[in-house]
Amino acid sequence: WMPLTTRCTKVDLWCESSQNADDFQPLPAEYGQVVSFHGSSCRHYVNANHTPYTRMSLDFRVGVEGFFDPKWQMSGTTDDHTRRTVEL
């Protein structure tokens, strides 16, 4: 997760420490920082923005050939993103 703006909105990525731990804590990354976490196993969300400002960020997933299962889905999710292969 990579913020493209400062934390003036106090919007953070919240993540549990391990699968089903239910102990959500913010990962308060600033502009210029990158946060890595096991998003396939740990539930995560972004808190609501109650300011007039916009917080922008990028998130991306990396699958290493030989370890990536395109048919895998996380149990209990309702909004799985489309998966595709990118040839470089």
Side-chain angles (χ1 to χ4, degrees):
W1 185 65
M2 183 173 65
L4 301 176
T5 57
T6 65
R7 290 185 64 234
C8 65
T9 61
K10 303 297 186 245
V11 172
D12 292 312
L13 177 69
W14 288 65
C15 184
E16 57 186 354
S17 63
S18 60
Q19 189 173 18
N20 297 318
D22 206 29
D23 60 349
F24 294 92
Q25 294 291 319
L27 303 173
E30 291 287 353
Y31 172 75
Q33 296 179 316
V34 176
V35 174
S36 175
F37 67 100
H38 203 292
S40 294
S41 297
C42 298
R43 294 173 294 169
H44 54 282
Y45 66 94
V46 175
N47 57 305
N49 182 357
H50 298 289
T51 74
Y53 306 104
T54 300
R55 178 100 196 251
M56 294 180 9
S57 64
L58 295 175
D59 68 341
F60 44 92
R61 287 115 177 121
V62 177
V64 179
E65 188 174 8
F67 296 94
F68 179 70
D69 179 357
K71 296 181 179 122
W72 182 87
Q73 289 187 313
M74 184 174 179
S75 176
T77 60
T78 58
D79 189 19
D80 290 324
H81 305 286
T82 303
R83 296 173 176 92
R84 61 182 165 249
T85 300
V86 176
E87 298 287 335
L88 300 177

